[in-house]
Amino acid sequence: MKLLKSLLLCFLFFGLGNFKAQNLLLNNFDRRINFYQQQKYKLKANYLNKRKSLNLSYELKQNLKKLSINYFAKINNELKIINKISNDYELYKAITLKSLGESYPDINAVFFNRGNLLSDEKISDEEKQKYNALFLEIAKQIPNETYIELSKITDEINRDKFALTIPYRFEIFQDLFDENQRKRIDIINFLLWNVE
């Protein structure tokens, strides 16, 4: 009888715990989707005209197009891998990838998998260097006065994004501590958004 009670208690404990964990995971998905939707509309309303009004050099536009092609190729490649969603992890990856493809870019997540587990593949040092070289080239092509303007805009965007994350308690840029690199990536994300 004691064995039966013990088994029943174990089943209830682990069964209810698993159910609670699944509910928390689904709530997290809902929160992420809600965050991405709110971010998409807020950014479009407040910053799209600023983005489209920028006067960029031909070379800079070409490098941004090259980066955009690589960005969407990586997203689409990962989406092909998740052709049949069979678990919560794959659902999370699909939601994140879809939002990164439809909303505001996040080159940090897509090219280096920082803050997101989009791919199980380890990114080679050679590939990291290739993208870092392209990011540096893009940053060098931005005139100083434009860079200062973009810095202010991206600071505003980050404040808006942070305000959207507060009710959900998740972080952006969880593991990128170099402020210069963070600023450069913020600016390139903004320039990559709606590349023409």
Side-chain angles (χ1 to χ4, degrees):
M1 188 67 162
K2 287 182 181 181
L3 179 66
L4 186 60
K5 281 183 182 178
S6 297
L7 288 173
L8 183 60
L9 284 173
C10 283
F11 173 76
L12 287 173
F13 178 75
F14 289 111
L16 290 176
N18 189 27
F19 178 73
K20 187 173 183 175
Q22 286 177 349
N23 276 343
L24 288 173
L25 195 57
L26 290 174
N27 285 339
N28 191 29
F29 291 152
D30 290 341
R31 289 177 183 149
R32 289 272 177 182
I33 292 168
N34 194 26
F35 167 76
Y36 288 128
Q37 289 301 317
Q38 287 180 9
Q39 173 185 288
K40 183 177 177 179
Y41 294 122
K42 188 166 196 160
L43 292 174
K44 189 174 180 182
N46 296 339
Y47 302 102
L48 188 57
N49 287 336
K50 290 179 183 181
R51 168 61 187 95
K52 289 187 174 187
S53 69
L54 290 173
N55 189 14
L56 306 175
S57 71
Y58 175 78
E59 294 82 17
L60 179 54
K61 286 180 183 178
Q62 291 307 111
N63 276 333
L64 288 169
K65 285 180 185 177
K66 182 178 172 182
L67 182 60
S68 178
I69 289 166
N70 285 308
Y71 180 84
F72 288 105
K74 281 189 80 73
I75 288 174
N76 290 331
N77 188 41
E78 285 297 322
L79 281 171
K80 285 177 192 170
I81 294 170
I82 309 172
N83 52 6
K84 185 178 176 186
I85 296 173
S86 62
N87 60 42
D88 292 335
Y89 175 71
E90 289 176 353
L91 177 62
Y92 170 74
K93 281 175 60 171
I95 289 168
T96 303
L97 285 166
K98 201 104 170 86
S99 64
L100 289 173
E102 294 174 353
S103 186
Y104 196 76
D106 186 348
I107 59 175
N108 199 37
V110 171
F111 291 115
F112 302 116
N113 294 340
R114 292 183 180 139
N116 290 285
L117 301 173
L118 301 181
S119 175
D120 295 330
E121 278 182 39
K122 187 110 171 136
I123 295 173
S124 70
D125 288 339
E126 184 180 289
E127 189 175 2
K128 286 180 187 178
Q129 288 174 351
K130 178 182 93 171
Y131 290 120
N132 274 325
L134 182 56
F135 301 157
L136 285 172
E137 183 64 30
I138 288 170
K140 287 179 191 174
Q141 292 174 334
I142 302 169
N144 284 340
E145 55 280 351
T146 305
Y147 195 91
I148 292 167
E149 178 187 352
L150 292 171
S151 181
K152 291 176 185 173
I153 292 169
T154 56
D155 285 346
E156 290 174 27
I157 289 171
N158 281 335
R159 279 191 295 274
D160 287 349
K161 284 170 72 174
F162 180 73
L164 290 175
T165 65
I166 289 171
Y168 308 122
R169 293 186 175 89
F170 53 76
E171 298 175 20
I172 49 179
F173 273 122
Q174 299 174 53
D175 65 345
L176 190 60
F177 301 109
D178 180 343
E179 287 300 318
N180 292 326
Q181 186 179 3
R182 183 182 302 208
K183 178 52 65 184
R184 184 170 52 246
I185 286 175
D186 284 344
I187 288 171
I188 294 171
N189 282 334
F190 183 70
L191 294 175
L192 192 61
W193 185 40
N194 289 290
V195 169
E196 296 173 349

